Amino acid sequence: MIIGISNKLRAAFIKDKSYRDTAVNKNWWQIILVTSLGVTALVWGVRELKWLQSWELKAYDQMLRSRPAEPPDSRILLVTVTEEDLAKKGWNLADDTINRLLTKLASYQPRVIALNLYRPEQTNLGAGLENPTNIISACLSSSMGRSEVPPPPNFPPENIGYNDVISDIEEDQVVRRALVFSEANDSKCATQFSIAALAAITYLEQTGIHVDFEKHQFHLGKTAFPILTPNSGSYKGVDAKGYQILLNYRHPNHLAPTFTLTEVLNNQVNPNLVKDRLVIIGTTASSIHPGLYTPYSAAKGQPTRTPSVFIHTQIASQLLSTVLDGRPLIWYWPDWAELVWLWAWSLVGSILAWRLKHPLLVVVVLGIALTGLVIICAGLFLDAGWIPLIPPALTLVMSGVSVIIYRTYRTQQQTKVIMLQVEKQQEVIEQLNILLNEATAIADTTAFYDQHSHHDSVVVTPRKKADDLLLGGRYSISSVLGAGGFGRTYLAQDTQRPGNPTCVVKKLMPARKDTKFLQVARRLFITEAEILESLGQHQQIPALLAYFEVNEEFYLVEQYIAGHTLYEELPPVTGLQSEAFVIEMLKGVLEVLAFVHEHRVIHRDVKPTNIIRSAEDNRLVLIDFGAVKLMQPPTDQKTELATVAIGTRGYAPPEQFAGHPRLASDIYAVGMMGIQALTGILPQELPPDPETGNVMWRSHATVSEELALILDKMVRYHFSDRYQSAATVLQDLNRLSSLIQTSSIS
């Protein structure tokens, strides 16, 4: 039974927007949530397919290059074999040449010497050295198609390290990772240690720091080195075999003190620069090895390829400085944290696009948000934190664009609906006009007016039954805001919403009660209410909470806007207003009119008493759209016309009184309000020019020529001579405001 009654009520004319308000708010969050989750899932899926890895690695390289340079590592000394060294005396890196170099360096008492040279034939390497235990040599397991090179036969296995490095072959062949330890193999180069790692460990062991291995990390003393996984950082499915770490590069120009082989052999090196150092020897000659790509290959002033000796020096330096100086390793988030990071930026993009609405403003703010994202990522990278940059940037932009597209589509659909409603409204107005012009209508209207001529003094008196006090079984009337022949406006409380919020109830009584007139009036009321319901989404228009019919009387329930009407701010209530006030007032009203006119809706009754200055945020709110007044009788002041010519004398232009209102008609009314503020004269009291019909007002005001020209164009007698859109007036007013600000600054 209760369900049946409820269904009947829903089928009636009551359409309660208060229920839909909650649904709409939820819908907003649903749209934002669905958009952000959908975009995040899409970007995450694309990322898992490795389609973004190249971009992310390039962003990583750029952040690496953008860091301020650190001081060179003073624990390391580099000795390079250059093309000049090879050409000077015909050296071909024979054992005796290398042995002379090792003997010279060993005499300076270095802590460790790492010989990063390998040759197919090296039978007598290190011969003649008294203590070769602190010398580490290299072998080559495999490297980009090159043949394997075994270690020197006269070197103990524990003093051998492999020279191999790994690069991101699938992407750009850039070396970003260091393979410090690997699994044992059956090749000739069977060592598990890279030459850089072995050199650093040997150096540290002389200070009592030893290496210890675990499954997912290794330790040097108390310092833990987490090893890379296939999905570490922005890598997806990378080959992470062995113990790999991300290379935390020093700037190539500030790596370590460097000398050439010739300079060492010619005694041009201070022995104090060698003592207790880790000395790394390697060739930089491209004729021996072309070099490798690094993140600095794209840097200005840097060579495209870097000799491998510099990369091994980078690895050794990273291990030493991390253990001894606390220099941070490159760190990154787990997958779940990166997923949340992406979603957060997707939410930011969705919310910004939803709240800001204007596409150009959204683009600007999204640009600012992108800049903020870059700053955050770059700032964390200064502390060695590698967090995603490209994926969240994509989710931010894609979510914002998606919401803009959705809003644009929804606005277009809404505009189509409103325009259809406006067309229906025009048809109803024509029918209503025919009825109002019938001979019998005059008698009916007169009788109705006589019957209700004293309604101005009506007050609400309590009835015996409490339910009778609730309009529509819901709204408790508390006071009368206004009353007249057209109906009444009440202040009421909504008893079915938490806190019984205040709302405004407008009671509209048709001019006649015959069936034919009521049918047309009802159609007009419903059409007008549907238009108001759509327009009420704008913050400068009261939301329509409900509309219904009771006993052949129509009711609109609207959001209550606390504040005062603009009439209280204009002459004759106040003194003359300044140009600045007038400009801001015009802009405030025109902003909402631009929205209304965008939907091809004409307000028809713009005037100071229909504009409320909100006490909450000082915005101007437009109320009392005029089409519904067609079904009401005229008032005794004769300022409201009960025909198609709705409007208030002085504010309504000629074409509106002729029954043909246009968008420019509302602009005329706003212009007359501006003139009233400047002259202190009511619009209907200003004389027209006998030749043009234009209002003559300039002699009564002190105003700049620029503002006067704008007002003149707003109130031209013929609508075709006026501004044709509120947006165009706003452009001129904004330009005038900019000129005023510029002149005041200068």
Side-chain angles (χ1 to χ4, degrees), residues 529-563:
E530 290 174 346
I531 293 174
L532 290 177
E533 186 176 17
S534 299
L535 296 179
Q537 298 178 25
H538 195 280
Q539 64 172 355
Q540 290 178 265
I541 299 175
L544 182 67
L545 304 177
Y547 56 97
F548 51 89
E549 177 185 348
V550 177
N551 297 328
E552 297 181 341
E553 294 176 339
F554 304 102
Y555 294 86
L556 295 172
V557 183
E558 295 182 341
Q559 173 190 7
Y560 172 65
I561 306 295

Side-chain angles (χ1 to χ4, degrees), residues 127-141:
L129 293 176
E130 295 181 1
N131 182 23
T133 56
N134 67 336
I135 298 178
I136 297 169
S137 186
C139 61
L140 181 65
S141 178

Side-chain angles (χ1 to χ4, degrees), residues 460 469-471 475-480 490-493 505 555:
V460 177
L469 293 174
L470 298 180
L471 183 62
Y475 301 101
S476 175
I477 307 300
S478 58
S479 62
V480 178
Y490 302 112
L491 206 60
Q493 277 73 45
V505 177
Y555 294 86

Side-chain angles (χ1 to χ4, degrees), residues 455-456 482-490 506-509 632-633:
H455 281 165
D456 284 347
F486 67 92
R488 305 184 191 100
T489 303
Y490 302 112
K506 294 182 179 180
K507 179 180 180 180
L508 306 169
M509 296 180 293
Q632 303 160 7

Side-chain angles (χ1 to χ4, degrees), residues 493-512:
Q493 277 73 45
D494 188 344
T495 61
Q496 294 186 17
R497 297 185 70 182
N500 297 339
T502 301
C503 56
V504 174
V505 177
K506 294 182 179 180
K507 179 180 180 180
L508 306 169
M509 296 180 293
R512 290 160 41 189

